[in-house]
Amino acid sequence: MIGLLAGKLLEKDFSSCLLNVHGVGYEVAIPLSTFDKLPLENGDVTLYIHTAVREDAITLFGFATKEEKQLFQQLINVSGVGGKLALNVLSAMPASAFCAAVASGDAKSLSRINGVGKRTAERLIVELRDKLSGIDPALAPPAANSAGADAALALEQLGYRRDAVNKVVNALLTELPENERTTENLIRAALLKLNF
């Protein structure tokens, strides 16, 4: 399987590009987010590649970042989501915004993406909710049995969204000195940030 291509960019449009890698031209399907990061023609480019092999075709999907490739691979594992729809998702919103929408259960935002209806949006939320923390670490829940986990749970019970709570609590765990990382201090500081 091809996992990475590095070479010269010969041609590009909004949905694909042609790379010259040591004299071999590779046509690669890309999302709009990757198109925005491509250099001018004849510039050097490196893309993370997902190779899809079917009975009638081999398709290369290219991404500017590892996170985009990981998200694409998670998306195509959802039943009813193929490569084209996964590219639409990545073209419609940044990976971090998509992860946040899934984590918070925001089906309305997801269903605005071309090709994603209400049912597909709900399926994406159900199937991906617990799988995206590796792509956007800020959305990962704080370590279990810790002051951070207790603070996050308390804030969720107060009605704050899980993705926002995890992001704020994780940031506070790195900002605050170790002796100030108590559940009480974390809740106070998080409330200030969440209500600002």
Side-chain angles (χ1 to χ4, degrees):
M1 292 289 182
I2 297 171
L4 183 97
L5 287 175
K8 296 277 186 195
L9 181 66
L10 295 180
E11 299 172 7
K12 64 179 178 177
D13 62 40
F14 296 118
S15 61
S16 67
C17 64
L18 183 63
L19 299 182
N20 178 357
V21 181
H22 301 294
V24 179
Y26 292 92
E27 190 169 334
V28 182
I30 56 171
L32 201 52
S33 54
T34 294
F35 173 82
D36 291 339
K37 296 174 182 131
L38 289 176
L40 297 173
E41 289 180 3
N42 291 319
D44 291 328
V45 66
T46 300
L47 294 177
Y48 294 94
I49 301 294
H50 172 82
T51 307
V53 179
R54 290 192 335 226
E55 194 175 296
D56 58 342
I58 296 174
T59 308
L60 302 178
F61 296 93
F63 309 94
T65 65
K66 274 187 201 176
E67 291 76 24
E68 284 181 339
K69 179 182 174 183
Q70 289 171 334
L71 180 53
F72 176 85
Q73 290 172 327
Q74 291 290 350
L75 283 164
I76 60 174
N77 285 326
V78 173
S79 56
V81 177
K84 185 177 179 185
L85 183 54
L87 286 181
N88 283 352
V89 169
L90 288 167
S91 294
M93 57 178 33
S96 58
F98 176 81
C99 293
V102 168
S104 65
D106 188 359
K108 191 174 181 181
S109 291
L110 296 176
S111 60
R112 289 189 194 122
I113 298 169
N114 186 27
V116 177
K118 185 180 177 190
R119 235 183 226 161
T120 304
E122 290 168 356
R123 194 177 321 117
L124 288 169
I125 291 167
V126 169
E127 293 191 34
L128 295 177
R129 180 171 266 157
D130 299 325
K131 298 178 181 175
L132 298 181
S133 59
I135 294 167
D136 190 353
L139 298 175
N145 302 321
S146 68
D150 293 341
L153 181 62
L155 291 162
E156 277 186 63
Q157 289 173 345
L158 288 172
Y160 292 97
R161 290 184 4 220
R162 179 182 296 171
D163 63 319
V165 166
N166 289 345
K167 204 170 238 183
V168 167
V169 171
N170 284 330
L172 288 169
L173 286 170
T174 59
E175 292 170 14
L176 293 174
E178 198 166 332
N179 63 335
E180 292 180 27
R181 294 179 195 161
T182 65
T183 302
E184 194 174 313
N185 284 346
L186 287 168
I187 292 172
R188 267 198 209 108
L191 283 170
L192 287 172
K193 288 190 176 215
L194 288 165
N195 291 322
F196 182 68

